[in-house]
């Protein structure tokens, strides 16, 4: 799932997002909020808030002083 530059915010809840070997979410210019979601593939966001999630791929966030990652699994590396 890719969002255009300066796209809207992305909220994913109670879902599975499979990148099929690529990016699960490519939203480098957007705020991404995840709640009880499983993401299979890379995730990139401007700001990330995630709770009760499984992130099975590399995660890249531009604004690290904002957002939150809690009660979640983040794959090594």
């Amino acid at each position: 799932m890719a969002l255009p530059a300066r796209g809207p915010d992305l909220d994913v809840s109670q879902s599975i997002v499979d990148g099929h070997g690529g990016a699960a979410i490519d939203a480098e210019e957007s705020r991404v909020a995840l709640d009880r979601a499983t993401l299979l593939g890379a995730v990139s966001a401007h700001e990330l808030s995630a709770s009760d999630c499984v992130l099975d791929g590399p995660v890249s966030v531009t604004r690290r002083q904002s957002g939150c990652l809690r009660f979640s699994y983040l794959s090594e590396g």
Side-chain angles (χ1 to χ4, degrees), residues 23-66:
I25 294 179
D26 183 9
E28 293 180 355
E29 299 293 325
S30 301
R31 183 192 66 80
V32 176
L34 307 172
D35 184 37
R36 292 170 288 179
T38 298
L39 286 93
L40 305 173
V43 174
S44 63
H46 183 70
E47 182 179 321
L48 177 67
S49 295
S51 180
D52 299 318
C53 294
V54 174
L55 303 166
D56 187 29
V59 176
S60 173
V61 180
T62 305
R63 289 192 70 191
R64 295 182 183 183
Q65 297 297 319
S66 298

